[in-house]
């Protein structure tokens, strides 16, 4: 199967799947007769998920040849295309999907079945095909905990958390922090309405938790933020090289660690400042690998080759 898993596809090409439109708008006549997986989002060109998952599938195929016919693709799908795209992906019988910005929270009302973490987080990053529709999962929490443990040697349990963002990734991060009984959770976001909505939902979901607080990203309104915290960036601010940092680390009590879910570029403005200040920090590459491994295990029923996945994304970045 000579199929291009490196390029970014669109909804118009999905309509013709498994054939593919070339640059001239003509159909390429290669039939794809394997099992298809994909990541969908916008933006999506930066995603290394196809590199990671296709390396893992090749590794799995060494022991089980049926996986030699599995491939993982990426599709640029805008928020207003999501509902229609889900229908077509299902008609084309894609085995599974990963969801990234802006779909993680938007997809939840479209799911037939949700696992317990999706219900708590209000966001899903992994879908599994069923005969009737999509079953939703969220592996971001697993990925976050594993990345903090592996890269920074810290645990969420008992930690003071400053979380940046209120979208799907932030929702999963918040749920994971509370599930692990963090000492406090402070949530900041550029859009105050979304921030307050998330805080209210978390307080309803966790009625016994009195440690969930909103804060303003504006200087002079965040004096109550805790010292020795773990700052977690779950916004998309940093995906573009010219992006500013979502938070000025010099204008809050000194954090203990800084973690940015973005992995490409490898060092965002937030991480550059953390490095300059001598604060231990890490990007989201390890989180990508561990959440991806958990997704792959849902789709395949096999133990994911995490080392292979990690090596693949690091080679691609280098």
């Amino acid at each position: 199967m000579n199929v291009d898993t490196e390029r970014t596809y669109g909804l118009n090409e999905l309509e013709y799947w498994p054939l593919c439109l070339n640059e001239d708008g003509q159909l390429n006549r290669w039939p794809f007769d394997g099992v298809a997986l994909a990541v969908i989002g916008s933006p999506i060109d930066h995603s290394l998920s196809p590199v990671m998952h296709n390396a893992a599938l090749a590794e799995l195929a060494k022991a089980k040849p049926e996986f030699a016919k599995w491939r993982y693709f990426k599709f640029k799908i805008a928020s207003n295309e999501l509902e229609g795209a889900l229908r077509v992906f299902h008609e084309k019988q894609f085995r599974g999907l990963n969801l990234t910005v802006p779909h993680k929270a938007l997809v939840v009302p479209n799911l037939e079945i949700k696992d317990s973490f999706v219900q708590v987080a209000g966001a899903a990053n992994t879908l599994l095909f069923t005969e009737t529709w999509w079953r939703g999962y969220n592996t971001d929490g697993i990925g976050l905990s594993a990345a903090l443990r592996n890269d920074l040697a810290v645990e969420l349990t008992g930690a003071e958390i400053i979380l940046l963002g209120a979208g799907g990734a932030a929702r999963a991060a918040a749920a994971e922090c509370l599930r692990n009984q963090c000492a406090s959770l402070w949530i900041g976001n550029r859009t105050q309405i979304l921030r307050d909505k998330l805080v209210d939902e978390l307080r309803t979901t966790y009625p016994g938790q009195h440690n969930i607080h909103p804060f303003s990203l504006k200087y002079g309104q965040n004096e109550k933020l805790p010292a020795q915290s773990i700052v977690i960036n779950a916004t998309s601010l940093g995906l573009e090289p010219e992006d500013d940092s979502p938070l000025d680390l010099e204008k809050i009590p000194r954090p203990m660690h800084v973690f940015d879910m973005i992995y490409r570029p490898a060092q965002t403005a937030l991480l550059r400042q953390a490095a300059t200040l001598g604060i231990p920090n890490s990007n989201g590459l390890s989180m990508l690998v561990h959440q991806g491994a958990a997704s792959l295990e849902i789709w395949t029923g096999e133990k994911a080759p995490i080392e292979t996945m990690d090596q693949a994304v690091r080679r691609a970045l280098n």
Side-chain angles (χ1 to χ4, degrees), residues 12 24 27 34 36 42 45 73 87-88 109 118-119 135 168 172 198 200 219-220 222 243 245-246 250 256 298:
N12 60 331
D24 298 322
L27 285 175
S42 181
D45 289 340
F73 303 89
R87 184 187 71 254
V88 182
V118 170
Q119 294 173 354
R135 181 189 297 265
L198 175 56
D200 290 342
Y219 176 60
N222 49 29
D243 283 350
S245 173
E250 290 192 286
M256 181 174 62
I298 290 170

Side-chain angles (χ1 to χ4, degrees), residues 131-210:
E131 290 297 327
T132 51
W133 194 234
W134 296 106
R135 181 189 297 265
Y137 300 85
N138 196 309
T139 65
D140 277 341
I142 295 171
L144 175 62
S145 287
L148 290 173
R149 188 178 304 117
N150 292 349
D151 295 352
L152 297 172
V154 294
E155 300 285 346
L156 292 170
T157 303
E160 311 281 0
I161 305 295
I162 297 175
L163 176 62
L164 310 178
R171 286 173 169 271
E176 181 71 3
C177 291
L178 294 170
R179 180 168 68 175
N180 284 274
Q181 299 183 322
C182 61
S184 68
L185 176 61
W186 295 78
I187 300 176
N189 191 59
R190 285 175 293 178
T191 306
Q192 183 175 327
I193 293 175
L194 294 178
R195 178 203 67 189
D196 292 347
K197 182 175 183 289
L198 175 56
V199 169
D200 290 342
E201 290 175 1
L202 291 171
R203 287 172 174 170
T204 300
T205 304
Y206 297 90
Q209 299 271 11
H210 304 291

